[in-house]
Amino acid sequence: MAKTSTHLLVVGGGPAGTQAATTAAAKGATVTLIEKNIVGGAAHLWDCIPSKTMAASALRHSSVRNAAKLGLVTDAGQVDMDVLASRIKDITGDINRNWVTLLESQGVRMLPGTGRFTGPNSAAATDSEGLETTVVFDKALISTGSYPRIPDWAPVDGERVLTTRDCYDLETVPEHIVIIGSGVTGVEFVHIFESLGAQVSLVVSRQQILPHRDAEVAAELEEDFLERGVRLIIGARAEKIDVADDGVVVFCDDGRVIRGSHALLAVGSVPLSDGLGLDEAGIATDNGYVTVDEYQRTSQPHIYAAGDVTGQMPLSSVASMQGRKIAHHALDLPVEPIDYSKVSEAIFTVPEIASVGLAEVEAAAEGRKVRTTKVPFAANARSVLQHYTRGFVKVISDPATGVVLGGTIVGHRASELIGVIALAVQARVTAATLVETLMVHPSMTEAISDAAE
């Protein structure tokens, strides 16, 4: 049995782990990283990057299908799923190689295998051949991520009944896919498969899609889905799936039955914390999630946790920032905790949805007075000439000071446009400053200053 020591041990090479490892190593610390798959984590292997790669291809295909609206005559063509799958694998492979190169250049020691704590200051890495390396550490980071939740009633087989991670190896576009779950992941795959040419039914357990979002935002996306021919089964909870040779049958708790060629589960995730030896290390959990304080410290102050395994905001951008701040804190460098109220996020549908800072529903719940102004993209010249008129820009500000507190964008490339409002929120810029900022004309960013005005 081999043995080594390190200042910082990182278990899990996703966004949080790789960022913490490279940051700490760049500051002169000895760092060891344990990862059983390729470096990059679930975000790059199965979730964020692959799904957005599919979404990019789906958008192009959808644009070709609707090119006649712009005066173009073209053939919509066919979707080659083999080529799409190959592109996804190439991209994830490149990400892995780039991260490995960066980690090696910083002097990070990488141990391939599964990590498990054996005590408060020790862990073991077991490789694919069963060989074990003991690691003694001063500080440690748990960043093992999560995996899709599979209900007991769902007979997932990777062929007819799928999790989101099974979507990237499909040989053909499903004829009719029934998507169960109308949160962020569910609606993104509605966009992907409808754009690729599939008939789509979406089972919505609440009274609107995106149940935790602004009702106005949900209504805008619902309207778009209906126009695209998506069938919305509102207020129904799936409770059983039968699989046949030619498809699936989804049974709902209200008696409704949906038949399709495939079913896709998008019903949340489960933290990857089992088998990590958390009890041996004295680390507290809550329903499998590792509990942390504002500095990402666990119940053992010298052991940190970040990313999906903590149950905090499941965004790779957040995990990366957590990793960077953890590295500084572990090296006793000055660092401020993350202000999660200023995190920007996006949903990659068509139209895209992006938001940052305070939302109207939050302000109402807190009894807080805000000023909300909104401009539709139908009033924006660039949106009209590009034929992307669905959606709006909404800016929320303090009526007393004019400081921008938040904003929501529904529309084409909202994920890029939200950066302007995010910077305003972070820097406490006033709405008046946005109004006085000379945007390019014609551009979609003009809608932000128009909304501020």
Side-chain angles (χ1 to χ4, degrees):
M1 180 188 297
K3 187 175 182 178
T4 187
S5 61
T6 190
H7 179 70
L8 176 64
L9 171 67
V10 178
V11 183
T18 49
Q19 186 66 60
T22 54
T23 301
K27 298 293 183 181
T30 57
V31 182
T32 300
L33 171 65
I34 303 174
E35 172 55 59
K36 66 179 179 180
N37 294 307
I38 68 172
V39 176
H44 292 148
L45 288 175
W46 299 294
D47 298 331
C48 183
I49 298 302
S51 66
K52 276 50 175 183
T53 302
M54 283 191 80
S57 295
L59 176 61
R60 295 290 182 87
H61 188 256
S62 178
S63 298
V64 172
R65 288 164 58 195
N66 295 288
K69 297 176 182 177
L70 298 178
L72 303 176
V73 179
T74 184
D75 183 358
Q78 300 296 316
V79 177
D80 191 326
M81 294 297 285
D82 288 338
V83 173
L84 180 52
S86 178
R87 182 167 184 262
I88 291 171
K89 290 177 182 177
D90 287 345
I91 291 172
T92 56
D94 287 344
I95 289 172
N96 170 64
R97 285 185 289 274
N98 291 338
W99 269 115
V100 169
T101 298
L102 178 60
L103 289 161
E104 289 178 342
S105 70
Q106 297 284 10
V108 176
R109 181 183 183 188
M110 288 178 283
L111 294 177
T114 301
R116 176 178 53 83
F117 289 95
T118 56
N121 288 92
S122 63
T126 305
D127 66 18
S128 58
E129 297 180 356
L131 298 178
E132 189 173 286
T133 300
T134 296
V135 184
V136 177
F137 59 84
D138 299 319
K139 306 285 180 70
L141 166 61
I142 303 165
S143 52
T144 47
S146 63
Y147 61 96
R149 186 173 75 86
I150 302 175
D152 294 338
W153 45 263
V156 171
D157 57 10
E159 296 180 3
R160 291 288 181 183
V161 183
L162 316 169
T163 71
T164 53
R165 297 185 179 183
D166 299 316
C167 294
Y168 313 121
D169 291 318
L170 293 174
E171 295 180 357
T172 60
V173 177
E175 179 183 350
H176 179 185
I177 188 164
V178 182
I179 298 178
I180 301 167
S182 60
V184 172
T185 302
V187 298
E188 286 187 344
F189 275 97
V190 169
H191 155 62
I192 288 170
F193 282 113
E194 191 285 325
S195 297
L196 292 176
Q199 181 182 350
V200 180
S201 294
L202 177 63
V203 179
V204 184
S205 62
R206 308 289 182 88
Q207 293 305 308
Q208 69 170 51
I209 64 174
L210 299 173
H212 302 296
R213 304 279 171 158
D214 186 324
E216 189 176 21
V217 170
E220 193 82 17
L221 190 57
E222 285 181 7
E223 184 178 344
D224 184 76
F225 281 172
L226 291 171
E227 287 184 6
R228 293 163 66 174
V230 175
R231 181 187 176 193
L232 300 180
I233 298 91
I234 302 291
R237 189 178 297 275
E239 60 181 11
K240 180 183 177 184
I241 301 176
D242 282 349
V243 181
D245 291 338
D246 60 346
V248 299
V249 183
V250 178
F251 298 88
C252 298
D253 60 354
D254 62 356
R256 280 182 278 184
V257 177
I258 308 102
R259 300 179 186 277
S261 62
H262 297 74
L264 170 62
L265 296 171
V267 289
S269 60
V270 178
L272 271 168
S273 57
D274 287 345
L276 286 179
L278 300 183
D279 288 341
E280 287 86 339
I283 297 171
T285 60
D286 182 8
N287 290 321
Y289 292 102
V290 179
T291 55
V292 294
D293 66 9
E294 69 272 26
Y295 292 100
Q296 305 300 130
R297 294 176 295 190
T298 69
S299 53
Q300 290 280 17
H302 67 292
I303 300 178
Y304 302 80
D308 289 3
V309 76
T310 66
Q312 295 170 303
M313 299 181 78
L315 301 170
S316 58
S317 57
V318 170
S320 293
M321 182 62 75
Q322 288 173 338
R324 188 172 73 84
K325 288 182 176 290
I326 285 168
H328 284 83
H329 195 273
L331 298 177
D332 298 322
L333 298 174
V335 62
E336 291 293 327
I338 294 175
D339 183 351
Y340 291 97
S341 70
K342 296 180 179 179
V343 173
S344 54
E345 54 185 320
I347 303 173
F348 292 83
T349 48
V350 172
E352 289 184 354
I353 298 168
S355 60
V356 65
L358 186 68
E360 285 179 291
V361 290
E362 294 172 331
E366 297 171 3
R368 186 172 181 177
K369 291 184 178 181
V370 296
R371 175 181 290 120
T372 302
T373 52
K374 188 178 78 169
V375 166
F377 277 118
N380 176 265
R382 184 67 181 275
S383 300
V384 172
L385 65 88
Q386 292 184 116
H387 199 71
Y388 292 123
T389 56
R390 182 177 292 283
F392 55 83
V393 174
K394 184 186 293 186
V395 174
I396 299 172
S397 59
D398 187 319
T401 64
V403 170
V404 177
L405 303 175
T408 298
I409 301 177
V410 179
H412 183 58
R413 297 198 177 281
S415 59
E416 304 289 348
L417 297 173
I418 197 66
V420 176
I421 302 178
L423 181 58
V425 171
Q426 179 66 32
R428 295 187 58 79
V429 169
T430 64
T433 300
L434 285 181
V435 173
E436 294 168 2
T437 301
L438 288 170
M439 307 290 186
V440 170
H441 175 76
S443 72
M444 297 181 72
T445 53
E446 286 181 300
I448 297 174
S449 57
D450 288 345
E453 187 172 11

